[in-house]
Structure formats: structure tokens, C-alpha cells
Amino acid sequence: MTRGLSMARLIMREMQRAKINTALCFAVVLLATGLLIGMVSVTRASVNATRIMMKRMGFNLLITPEGVDVAQYQALNFQDKDMPEEYVQRLAENGAILAQHFVGKYQKTVQLDGNVAVLTGVLAEVPRTGTRKTPMPTAYDVPRGTVYLGAALAPALGVAAGDSVDILGKRFPVGRVLDEVGAPPEDIRIFAHLHDVQELVGRPGRINAVDALACHCQGVVDDVIAALQKSITETLPDVDVRPYQSILLARQKQRLFIARLELIALAIVMAGSATAIWGLTYQNVHNRRQEIGVLRALGIADWRIALIFVGKTLVYSLAGAAAGCALGYTVAAHASIIEFPVSPPKALAVTLLFVTPFIAAAFALPPVLGGLLQDPADVIQDGA
Amino acid sequence: MIRLENVSKLFRKRDETIRALDNVNMEVPAGAMALVRGPSGSGKTTLVNVASGLSRPSEGVVTIAGQRIDDLSPGRRAALRAGKVAVVFQMFHLVPYLTALENVLLPTLADRRAAGDAPRETAQALLDSLGLARRLGHYPPELSVGERQRCALARALLNNPEVILADEPTGNLDPESAACVLQALDNRHQQGATVLIVTHHPVEIIRPNVEFRLESGNLRLE
């Protein structure tokens, strides 16, 4: 048994016949997907760069026992209020909390040889349970029995790495002298293991602060702080949550700006490509109206005739989307648009490959249906 | 069988109404060969369009191949044409980007089984019988006018239609090609198909069972 004429063959012949129209449609899809992929590659690289820079700037969230006087706290009077060390674990285990990278610490202002220093006991950073995060650069995992000295304190005490210092009657070797931070009181801190400090101050199992990093919060800027505080106090009702608002809000504003930019770009690209595909398909169908009339006169069902044009749309839009994804990413990655490394937005690219042909087909369908509504006798006679 | 009962077809152009067919009554029995003669502009093409279901009549009843079609949807009328009714146009209306063989195979898109188990072989045999064996891979612009009409005729015959409606099938042809086309239509008539030819050209080669005259939309038996 030999086969008759196949739809696939008819679609390919239609594409060969309407080369310029097909090439223009392909170019529209290529440009649309290329623009989207290129822009999203750049904006995501930008967001990622900001995330890295923010992370380098340190924690942006401080959790203290309820009722701590902020003015006294900032004057390095950490007061007597403290909370259980296991709060750190409870924060990490609650996936609903809009923060991560938790470091529990006990701080006390001390005098060393006439110098004011902030004795800070810390544990290694605890990531959110079930995640693997690179620790914050300012989170120190200090071995027991050792201390790290701030950049301003070490020279004031006249000690260097490898020397020893007496702290509250106990001698500790200096493991490291830290790089200068420039923000008080970071350069006058003495970092030690939390349990060493708890022993020194006689408060085993207690901490008086948790550093954290607020994570990607969905929603409008004004709600971010409230949502963040609520997510923590629901788990730990007897704490105060103090975000470093300027850092937090700047980051959130950037995210929202980029999300809006992406949406606007998507809308413009969709509207532009819809108009172009509609117009090009209309022109194509108009030029083919007599052939459409002949096919209908031969008794070929309207849906099969529509499939010739819609099938063509599916073919060129799939090819255009694939080429657009490759082009958009290549341009974004190599055209020095942004100095940070650009990663391909794989999920978006895969989505575009699946979705673009159907969107293009939806744009092409109205003029195709319009062509099929014409009286076949009229259009055949037009060509006579 | 083709039957038109009190059929009229009106076209409106601005304020004017043109009555292309005016209360036409016609009956062509199954297996008959009918000829409709008439001058240009008498409504011959409209008659073919209405009888084949390409156009719906403004008034009246149209029955073809045993089925009333004037009240059918365009899709149902197309389905009927796909299986039982073929139209041969004066201007051939071949698809320019398909070869002669592919043009003849077009009806298989409408009804894959109507041409039998081997449509490609059937199409080749039809083209061969019409003297186009060496033109299978040629595109319409590469064919002569006579070859195009023979190709269009082969396309009309592929699905073995019960009824063939031919609108000025020899209108643009040289005598040799015209004879070939008319002979092919007569052969199909001999094999049992109902054939209606509308023309204002001489068609001596065929002997119709019934003959009509169409003038200004009015049909009368001759």
C-alpha cells in the first residue's frame, strides 16, 4: 500500500513556497525569544551579583532577647538578657522563616589592658535544615581554646597571630588577626568559641544574639519587614527581630524592580511578536486564499487546511525559539553587557521551547480562521 | 443523480440584486451525461458551484448523489464532495508549489481511502492515461495549458466520484487537449459516473443523454 499526500509534506511545501514570509516569521520568534533570554540572563546575573555583594557585606538581621534596649546595645552594653542556645536550631529547622545563615553568639564588653573589646562567643554557622549554603564570610568557626582578634584590637594589645592573650583570667592563643572591617565594633571584637565564652561568663547554654540573613521575600517592599518579623516571632515569641533596614530594603527594591522590568519586557515582546505573527500570517493566508478555496472545493476539511498554516507556525516557531534561546544567551554572556558571570536560564529556555510554538500558533490562528470563513466559490472565481 | 428544484441564486452588489440563477429546475439521472450550454455570463459557473455545494442557493432545494445539500453546513458539504462529487474548473486551479503527481494526490487529504489502497499508483495511472506520464514531477507553471487541465481532470477523477461537474473544461484548450479531456469524461460516464458539463464551446465528441440551455439564469431543457 502506498500513501497519499501527507500533511507534513504539504506543510514543508508551503514553507518552501512562502520562503520570505517563513523567514520573517522565524526572525520574529528568534528576536522575541532572544530578547527575553538575553534580558533575563543579564537581570539574573545582576541579581546574583547583588546577592553576592550583599552577602559579603555581612548579616542583615539581628535577633535579640525580648526587651533589649537598642540604644544600650549599640553602646556595647549588651545587658543581662539572654536566651537558650537551642533557639538557633529551632530557627534553622523552621522552613517558614524568611531568613537563613544563623549564627548564635554571646557578646560581652570587656577591658583588656585598658582597651575596650567585645568578647564574642560564636558557633559555626547553622544553615537552614535541608539546605547547603556557603557560610557567610563574617561567620567564623573558631576552634575551642583559641581566639581571633579584630584588626584594631590586636595592634592596641601589641599581639599578633601565634601570641597569647589573657581574657577574664584565662589564656588563649591568637589563631588569627582579622582583616579590617571599618564598621564599629567589628574591629575591636575578640571572637572565641561560644562554649568557651559561656564558661568565662558563667552562662552555659545561653546566647544573647543571633545573626541571620534575610532571604528572598516575595511581596511588596512595605510588607517585607513585617513579614520577616512575623515569621520569626511565630516560632520564637520572646525575641526581638531587628533588620538592618536600609540593606534589606535596597535588595528587595532591586528584586521588585527587576521582576517588574521582566514583566514589562515580556508584555512588550509578546505584544510585538503577536502583532508581527498575526500580520505575516494574514498576508500569507490572503496570498493563498485561492489555494484555500481549491482545497475546500476538493472536500478537504477546514481543520486540515488550518493545520497547513498552523503546522508551519509550529515548525518555524520551534526553530526560532531554539535559535533565539542560543542567540540571546550567547549575546548576554559574551557582549560585555555585565561584568558578572552570566548563567543560562535553563528553566526559562525549556519553557520557551515548549510554550512558544503554541503561543505563536494562537497568534496565527485568527487570520487562518478568517481565511477559512471566505466563500470558496468567491475566492476561486477571483482567481479565474 | 443531480436534482435542482426551484433554485435561485442572488448576489447583491451595492443597491443592485443580480439573479444569477432564476428558479432553476434540473434533473440529471444517475449515470447520465448532461450538457448545459449557455453564453458567457449566463450563470453556468454559479450553477456548478450551487450543484456541487461550493455555494448555497438563495432559494430552492439541491440534491446530489442522493443527498440533499442545500441545508448542510459547509463542512458536511465538503465531506460529501470529498467522497462522491468532483469539480473540474475552467482555470484548473492547480496548487503551484505541488508537482503534477502531488496535485493529483491532493484529494487523499480529504478522503484517504477513496482512492483505494494504492493512491500513488492510481494517480500515476490516471496521469499516464491522460498523456502526462513524463510530467509527474513537473510543477504547474512548467506544464502547458492543456497539460494543466488534464492534470486537474486527473485530480478530479482520483477518488472515483459518483458525480463529476465540469465547468468549461475545454474553455482554454487546443482541439487536441480538448478532445482528450472530453474523452476522459465520457469514459467515466461509460463507467457509471454522472457527468454534468457546462460550456459555451463545441463538444461534438460527447453524446449527452440530456441537454439544457442556460440564459440569464433561466434553464430550459433542449
Side-chain angles (χ1 to χ4, degrees), chain A residues 84-321:
Chain A
E85 184 185 324
E86 55 102 15
Y87 272 21
V88 178
Q89 206 57 42
R90 284 175 62 185
L91 288 167
E93 284 170 357
N94 190 337
I97 285 176
L98 302 175
Q100 53 196 349
H101 296 278
F102 302 100
V103 174
K105 60 186 183 182
Y106 199 104
Q107 303 168 102
K108 186 174 176 68
T109 304
V110 294
Q111 292 280 335
L112 287 184
D113 297 339
N115 296 290
V116 175
V118 179
L119 177 61
T120 310
V122 289
L123 276 181
E125 181 184 302
V126 180
R128 178 183 285 176
T129 304
T131 65
R132 282 187 166 196
K133 299 275 183 189
T134 308
M136 296 287 286
T138 51
Y140 303 110
D141 185 8
V142 187
R144 285 209 70 164
T146 307
V147 292
Y148 296 167
L149 297 185
L153 184 61
L157 296 174
V159 295
D163 295 340
S164 300
V165 287
D166 273 327
I167 301 169
L168 301 180
K170 189 171 178 184
R171 194 145 193 89
F172 290 88
V174 178
R176 277 173 65 187
V177 175
L178 302 172
D179 293 336
E180 185 176 343
V181 176
E186 301 310 312
D187 293 330
I188 58 166
R189 284 194 189 271
I190 306 164
F191 284 101
H193 192 278
L194 176 66
H195 296 164
D196 287 341
V197 174
Q198 286 170 338
E199 278 177 26
L200 288 174
V201 299
R203 301 295 292 167
R206 306 296 289 181
I207 55 176
N208 60 8
V210 177
D211 279 330
L213 187 72
C215 59
H216 189 168
C217 305
Q218 301 293 342
V220 294
V221 170
D222 294 343
D223 294 340
V224 169
I225 303 288
L228 181 60
Q229 288 170 325
K230 186 170 177 236
S231 75
I232 293 172
T233 51
E234 276 179 354
T235 302
L236 305 175
D238 57 341
V239 300
D240 287 335
V241 181
R242 304 174 196 281
Y244 304 152
Q245 298 202 17
S246 55
I247 296 175
L248 200 63
L249 294 184
R251 190 175 178 190
Q252 187 65 12
K253 277 180 181 168
Q254 188 218 23
R255 281 179 178 142
L256 286 175
F257 169 75
I258 283 177
R260 282 189 193 134
L261 188 70
E262 286 179 355
L263 267 181
I264 291 166
L266 180 69
I268 291 170
V269 167
M270 290 280 277
S273 48
T275 308
I277 288 173
W278 188 95
L280 288 165
T281 307
Y282 177 83
Q283 184 203 35
N284 188 207
V285 169
H286 184 73
N287 292 342
R288 295 277 179 281
R289 64 191 186 284
Q290 283 161 24
E291 286 151 34
I292 291 172
V294 172
L295 297 178
R296 295 177 76 193
L298 292 173
I300 297 170
D302 286 354
W303 69 266
R304 280 186 180 271
I305 299 169
L307 192 59
I308 297 170
F309 296 96
V310 173
K312 169 185 161 177
T313 306
L314 291 173
V315 171
Y316 75 65
S317 55
L318 180 64

Side-chain angles (χ1 to χ4, degrees), chain A residues 31-45 324-333 337-338 342-343 345 348 352:
Chain A
L31 280 176
T33 50
L35 272 171
L36 280 179
I37 286 284
M39 195 200 65
V40 170
S41 298
V42 170
T43 52
R44 289 194 182 164
C325 287
L327 181 73
Y329 170 66
T330 304
V331 170
I337 293 172
I338 189 163
V342 175
S343 303
L348 177 66
L352 282 178

Side-chain angles (χ1 to χ4, degrees), chain B residues 91-164:
Chain B
M91 296 305 294
F92 336 125
H93 292 302
L94 297 172
V95 177
Y97 54 85
L98 298 180
T99 64
L101 180 62
E102 288 168 340
N103 264 289
V104 175
L105 284 168
L106 268 175
T108 60
L109 287 176
D111 188 341
R112 199 163 280 281
R113 286 170 295 182
D117 287 342
R120 193 166 286 269
E121 282 76 1
T122 307
Q124 284 174 350
L126 271 170
L127 286 166
D128 192 17
S129 70
L130 291 165
L132 295 172
R134 293 184 176 180
R135 299 294 202 192
L136 303 184
H138 286 69
Y139 291 91
E142 298 164 353
L143 301 175
S144 71
V145 171
E147 287 170 335
R148 287 181 212 175
Q149 185 59 298
R150 279 180 274 158
C151 183
L153 182 62
R155 181 179 68 187
L157 301 179
L158 183 76
N159 278 359
N160 256 326
E162 281 179 35
V163 180
I164 302 166

